[in-house]
Amino acid sequence: MERRFLRRMALGLVLGALTIIPAVSASAGSMPGREPETVRGRGFDHVAVLPALLPNSKENTSTIAQNNGTAPATIVMDIYTPAGVLIPSATVAYSNVPPGGTRVFAQAANSGLTPGFRGVGVISSDQPINALLVRDIESNVNFAKSYSIHNAYATGGTKVTLPYVANALNGLYNTRFAVANTGTTEACVTITYVFPGSSAAPVVDAGSGSLACSGGGYRIPVGGQISFAPTAVDGAIPMPASTANSLMAATLQTSSSTITVAVDAYLSGGLRKLASYDGFIVEPASASDLGTQISMPLAIKLDGFYTQYLLSNPNPTATTATITYVGNTGTYTVNLNIPANGTASHSVYEAAGGIPEGFVGAATITASQPIAAVLFRSKMTAPGSFVDEDLYTAVNGIPVNKATTTAKLPLIFRRAYQTGSFSGYNTWVSVSVADGGTANVTITAINDTSNTAPGCNAPGTYTTTKTINGSFIFYQNANVDSGLGASPPSCFWGGMTITSDRPIVVIANATNDLNLGDNDGLYNAFSN
C-alpha cells in the first residue's frame, strides 16, 4: 500500500460551528485495533500545531484523500502518537472509492481521539493517492475562523528555499515553518536567512548544544520534525534574535538526508489572517521546484482583491527577473533584480507595471537563473484603501516545464450547507495555459457519497469541456462555466480531474460565507 505521512496535527474540542471541512462521522469503516507499532519508512510530517498563532483559539485538522489510481481504492488513515505508537481506536477506512473520487477524514469527529491530542497521521491506500491537510483555528472570543490548506507530498530534498519568512515584522507579521525528515537517516539542517536587496548580511543558524548534530546543523531524527517561529511557542525553536522585525527569505540545507518544509504565515494580533505554502526543493536537481520560467496562475486587482508575488534566488550569483501580467485589461511587465541568495517582491498595487483597477488574469515570471516564487492573495475593504480584511491565502508558483496535461483537485464544493441567503461552501478553480496559448480542457467531477452535507451525497459524475485562451477561472457557485456540467447539481462536495491537450497549471480556492474571519484556503492542483 502506498503510505503518505502528513504533518503533525493538533486536535482541539469538537466545535459546533462548521469548519472549512464540515465534520463528517469518523466511525465509517473504522478498523479493529492493532498492537502498537512504530512509524517506519519515509515520512511527510509537517507541523500544524500553532495554538498561540492566534490567541484564545482552538485548532482542528481534516485530511482529504483522492484516489489517483485507475481502480476503486481502499483508503485508510492511521493516527500515531508523536513517539510513533499507533492509536488503534482512531483508525478510519473507506473502501470502494472510485478513481478520482475523494474521502474526508475529520479529526474533530474522530471519537478515538481525546481533546488536545497531537500526533502523526498516515494515509495508506492500495491505489496511488493525492492528499490535502486542511487546518482551521477558531477564536474563543468571537468564534471567528482562520483556514489554511497544505498539499502533502511523500518526498523531500536536500536543499529547500522559502521565499517568504517574517519574524515579528512591525510587531505583527509572522511565519512559522516546520521541517520534517523524509529520508532514512538523521537529518542535520542549516538555515540561512537573507534580506531584501541584501539590506543586511545573511544570518546562518546551524543549531547548538543538544539540538545540533556533531558536525553542525539542527538534528532531526528519521520520521521526526522540528519547527521555527518568532518565539518558543508550543515547542518551536525561536528564529535568531538578529532576524527580529525582519522580512526575509530562507534556505535550508542538509547533506545527510532529505527534508520537506511547510510554512504558515499569520498575524499576531487583530485580523484573523492565515496563509500556507510549501517549501521549494532546490536540490537534488531532479526534484527541483525552481524554474527560469514560472507560471503564477492568478493575478488580480479587483474590488479590493489583490495579489503579491514573493521571489527567492537561492543561487550564489544575482539574477534578473521579469514578471509579465496578462489579463482582461492588457499586458503589463515588471523588471526585478534579485541579489545572490536574495529575495524580491511585487504587488499589483505598486507603481511598477501600472496595473489598473479591474485587472484579472495570470502572470509568468522569467528569470536568468532558476528561482522560486510564491503567490499571496489578500483583500482590502475597498480598492486602494490599504485597509485589509481577514482574507489571506498563498500558493506556490509552478515552473512552466513542470506543467502537465492532467490536474487533480481533491477538494471541490458547490453550495454545500447552503442556507437562506448564505451560499455555504464553494470553490473556484483557476486554469492557466503554461505557454499562454490556447488549450482544450475536459473536466470530470465526482461527488463524495460519504459527505454529510444535506442533499449533497447522491452519486454523481459531471463533465465539462472548455476552450481556454491564456487563463480562465471556473466558479463552482455560478450557473454557467462552473466546471460541473451544463446543468450543475444543487449541491456538490467531491473531487475534480482536469485533462488538457496542452500543459496547464491549476489552483483551487475553498471558501464559505457562514463564518466570521479568514474563510479562504488556496492550494495547488496535483499534476500527476
Side-chain angles (χ1 to χ4, degrees):
M1 301 178 83
E2 179 173 329
R3 296 169 66 85
R4 182 159 299 194
F5 289 75
L6 299 169
R7 59 198 177 110
R8 294 190 188 275
M9 300 171 294
L11 181 64
L13 297 173
V14 176
L15 305 174
L18 296 175
T19 65
I20 192 169
I21 303 299
V24 298
S25 172
S27 62
S30 292
M31 300 179 66
R34 288 178 273 169
E35 292 300 314
E37 60 184 70
T38 301
V39 177
R40 305 291 185 192
R42 295 189 300 171
F44 189 99
D45 188 17
H46 287 179
V47 170
V49 182
L50 297 171
L53 184 149
L54 295 166
N56 301 313
S57 61
K58 295 178 181 178
E59 181 176 356
N60 288 279
T61 55
S62 294
T63 304
I64 306 95
Q66 181 182 39
N67 180 358
N68 192 34
T70 58
T74 295
I75 303 177
V76 182
M77 184 168 189
D78 292 314
I79 297 180
Y80 298 77
T81 68
V85 178
L86 176 70
I87 303 174
S89 62
T91 293
V92 179
Y94 290 100
S95 60
N96 245 356
V97 180
T102 58
R103 291 295 184 267
V104 177
F105 300 84
Q107 280 74 67
N110 191 322
S111 59
L113 299 174
T114 57
F117 172 81
R118 301 173 192 164
V120 180
V122 180
I123 290 285
S124 302
S125 178
D126 55 2
Q127 292 287 313
I129 52 174
N130 298 318
L132 296 173
L133 192 139
V134 180
R135 183 157 54 88
D136 86 88
I137 299 173
E138 181 179 77
S139 169
N140 286 337
V141 177
N142 60 359
F143 304 105
K145 291 281 192 173
S146 300
Y147 297 121
S148 70
I149 302 177
H150 273 291
N151 292 58
Y153 298 107
T155 58
T158 57
K159 186 176 182 180
V160 178
T161 190
L162 312 178
Y164 173 75
V165 175
N167 183 356
L169 178 65
N170 297 327
L172 185 64
Y173 297 94
N174 301 283
T175 52
R176 175 178 174 125
F177 57 95
V179 189
N181 183 349
T182 59
T184 57
T185 60
E186 181 180 75
C188 302
V189 179
T190 297
I191 306 168
T192 302
Y193 298 90
V194 296
F195 303 87
S198 297
S199 56
V203 175
V204 178
D205 185 11
S208 61
S210 61
L211 295 177
C213 299
S214 58
Y218 283 96
R219 182 194 311 273
I220 309 178
V222 174
Q225 60 81 34
I226 57 176
S227 58
F228 298 84
T231 65
V233 60
D234 198 40
I237 300 170
M239 292 184 237
S242 55
T243 68
N245 193 28
S246 297
L247 172 67
M248 303 164 282
T251 298
L252 296 82
Q253 191 154 13
T254 175
S255 59
S256 52
S257 189
T258 57
I259 57 172
T260 187
V261 186
V263 184
D264 293 294
Y266 62 96
L267 271 64
S268 57
L271 297 175
R272 303 291 305 177
K273 288 178 175 289
L274 174 64
S276 300
Y277 72 93
D278 299 300
F280 294 79
I281 295 175
V282 180
E283 297 174 355
S286 59
S288 176
D289 295 321
L290 306 187
T292 56
Q293 192 174 22
I294 299 174
S295 175
M296 308 298 283
L298 178 67
I300 189 168
K301 186 180 181 181
L302 174 69
D303 295 337
F305 291 97
Y306 67 98
T307 49
Q308 181 178 17
Y309 299 158
L310 284 299
L311 289 67
S312 174
N313 172 22
N315 302 292
T317 56
T319 184
T320 57
T322 298
I323 305 174
T324 303
Y325 292 91
V326 179
N328 59 335
T329 60
T331 299
Y332 313 89
T333 60
V334 176
N335 295 313
L336 298 172
N337 294 306
I338 314 176
N341 299 306
T343 182
S345 66
H346 183 260
S347 166
V348 293
Y349 269 97
E350 294 181 33
I355 299 169
E357 169 64 23
F359 175 85
V360 179
T364 300
I365 301 174
T366 303
S368 57
Q369 295 187 76
I371 62 170
V374 64
L375 181 163
F376 279 86
R377 168 178 165 265
S378 303
K379 187 177 186 299
M380 299 179 186
T381 55
S385 70
F386 296 97
V387 178
D388 272 7
E389 296 182 1
D390 290 309
L391 186 149
Y392 196 41
T393 58
V395 73
N396 291 33
I398 303 296
V400 169
N401 63 358
K402 283 204 163 188
T404 62
T405 56
T406 301
K408 297 186 178 181
L409 301 156
L411 181 60
I412 297 294
F413 289 124
R414 172 180 165 87
R415 302 177 186 176
Y417 290 94
Q418 182 183 40
T419 179
S421 62
F422 296 98
S423 297
Y425 289 80
N426 289 280
T427 49
W428 53 255
V429 175
S430 173
V431 181
S432 294
V433 183
D435 63 3
T438 299
N440 298 297
V441 302
T442 298
I443 302 175
T444 303
I446 301 175
N447 201 39
D448 178 355
T449 56
S450 70
N451 81 70
T452 56
C456 208
N457 60 358
T461 299
Y462 307 91
T463 302
T464 301
T465 58
K466 179 78 174 179
T467 298
I468 295 176
N469 296 308
S471 64
F472 189 82
I473 299 176
F474 295 90
Y475 293 94
Q476 278 66 69
N477 191 32
N479 292 321
V480 178
D481 284 330
S482 68
L484 296 173
S487 300
S490 59
C491 181
F492 181 91
W493 177 359
M496 178 180 286
T497 298
I498 303 175
T499 58
S500 171
D501 61 355
R502 301 280 293 278
I504 54 175
V505 174
V506 180
I507 60 173
N509 186 80
T511 187
N512 76 81
D513 58 358
L514 301 173
N515 302 310
L516 298 173
D518 176 8
N519 291 314
D520 284 47
L522 193 62
Y523 70 96
N524 291 94
F526 292 89
S527 52
N528 48 23

